[in-house]
Amino acid sequence: MAYTKEDILNGSIPQHVAVIMDGNGRWAKQNNMPRLYGHRNGIKAVRQITEAAAECGVKYLTLYAFSTENWNRPAEEVKGLMQLLVSAIENETQTLMKNNVRLLTIGNTAQLPADVAQRLNECIRRTASNTGLTLVLALSYSSRWELQEAIRSIAAEVADGRLSMDNINDQTIAEHLTTRGIPDPDLLIRTSGETRISNFLLWQIAYTELYFTPTLWPDFGKTDFYEAVVDFQKRERRFGKTSEQVAHE
Ligand code: IPE
Ligand code: IPE
Ligand code: MG
């Protein structure tokens, strides 16, 4: 069945959807093409999903675009991905403006090549006052890197007396992550049939609904996105409580 926007608008729309965009390489292989061809086609899926999310009222869309571990890929692939990123930002900024989308990044962006960082910052600056969807690109991101940084800065605050050790709680930790100010994801989608998290948002997905699909990322379109949301809408989120308690809330 091909799902449409109408299939989800009567149910609750996830406020924050996170996506592990996986399978570009396998998609390219299926088409007897080099891996970068898969990444290029992955950008089309990014466009589709961003549009679908914005249209149905999702407030935050976080896309895992490049992990800390992805730096270990062949130099040529890394270089190609960085070039793709630059051209995607150049080509898409206009569309982001038109659709009222605000761009943010999470991750160790200091590791990115200077031209990539510069273009990203320019796009972030230009879209800063847009009030529709917030598109969060996870770039050179890994959850363990993020937690390490958070622990370092919490420790520094304790050491110089700005923070008392007794006052460290869930909120303190959340506020020291790169996702500060962004609500936790309601739904996490991973494409390509892999059922793992690969160092993505480990703290933030404590109560996120997980959705895995065999579809490879370049093939993932709007109907696939709506299907994931339909699945999400069928679930009961209990946050540790009983079903009866949840029903009376
Ligand atoms: C996801 O596709 C994109 C990135 C990790 C940058 P992959 O490149 O991981 O594709 P597969 O998993 O090899 O098919
Ligand atoms: C996860 O995909 C990272 C991104 C989608 C950016 P990978 O393809 O790198 O993950 P593994 O290696 O299969 O776990
Ligand atoms: Mg992969």
Side-chain angles (χ1 to χ4, degrees), residues 36 40 43 76-90 113 115-116 119:
L36 268 178
R40 255 199 302 278
I43 292 177
E76 200 187 331
E77 180 170 349
V78 171
K79 196 171 148 209
L81 277 166
M82 292 300 146
Q83 281 166 353
L84 269 182
L85 196 57
V86 169
S87 61
I89 302 161
E90 274 180 356
D115 60 329
V116 178
R119 283 189 170 79

Side-chain angles (χ1 to χ4, degrees), residues 190-206:
R190 183 170 187 150
T191 58
S192 88
E194 308 295 357
T195 45
R196 55 176 170 260
I197 300 300
S198 304
N199 217 348
F200 191 43
L201 303 174
L202 298 178
W203 170 273
Q204 296 88 338
I205 61 171

Side-chain angles (χ1 to χ4, degrees), residues 9-196:
L9 288 182
N10 289 328
S12 74
I13 301 295
Q15 186 183 18
H16 182 177
V17 179
V19 186
I20 302 174
M21 311 184 286
D22 198 12
N24 294 350
R26 278 162 282 169
W27 187 90
K29 198 166 190 177
Q30 278 180 5
N31 289 281
N32 294 312
M33 293 295 279
R35 293 181 59 84
L36 268 178
Y37 179 74
H39 295 314
R40 255 199 302 278
N41 280 273
I43 292 177
K44 292 185 191 159
V46 169
R47 206 177 291 134
Q48 290 296 303
I49 298 325
T50 306
E51 212 175 273
E55 281 170 5
C56 69
V58 168
K59 294 304 291 176
Y60 296 88
L61 177 67
T62 300
L63 302 178
Y64 203 6
F66 194 84
S67 73
T68 305
E69 290 76 15
N70 288 151
W71 288 113
N72 298 321
R73 290 196 177 188
E76 200 187 331
E77 180 170 349
V78 171
K79 196 171 148 209
L81 277 166
M82 292 300 146
Q83 281 166 353
L84 269 182
L85 196 57
V86 169
S87 61
I89 302 161
E90 274 180 356
N91 298 333
E92 302 302 324
T93 305
Q94 283 287 84
T95 317
L96 297 181
M97 291 306 293
K98 196 181 90 209
N99 295 329
N100 198 20
V101 177
R102 174 172 71 133
L103 183 76
L104 292 180
T105 57
I106 55 171
N108 190 1
T109 46
Q111 276 193 313
L112 295 172
D115 60 329
V116 178
Q118 191 204 324
R119 283 189 170 79
L120 266 174
N121 287 334
E122 172 67 15
C123 183
I124 291 169
R125 196 186 56 74
R126 279 186 60 193
T127 61
S129 48
N130 288 345
T131 55
L133 175 75
T134 297
L135 175 63
V136 185
L137 281 188
L139 284 170
S140 191
Y141 174 89
S142 79
S143 208
R144 288 186 174 180
W145 163 80
E146 178 182 51
L147 286 164
Q148 186 183 302
E149 291 294 306
I151 290 165
R152 218 194 298 276
S153 74
I154 290 172
E157 286 176 34
V158 172
D160 65 20
R162 279 178 289 152
L163 179 66
S164 148
M165 208 159 69
D166 296 334
N167 290 338
I168 297 174
N169 54 26
D170 274 19
Q171 205 189 331
T172 320
I173 297 168
E175 280 167 3
H176 285 80
L177 299 173
T178 55
T179 50
R180 71 188 69 87
I182 300 174
D184 288 343
D186 301 292
L187 171 63
L188 170 68
I189 299 170
R190 183 170 187 150
T191 58
S192 88
E194 308 295 357
T195 45
R196 55 176 170 260

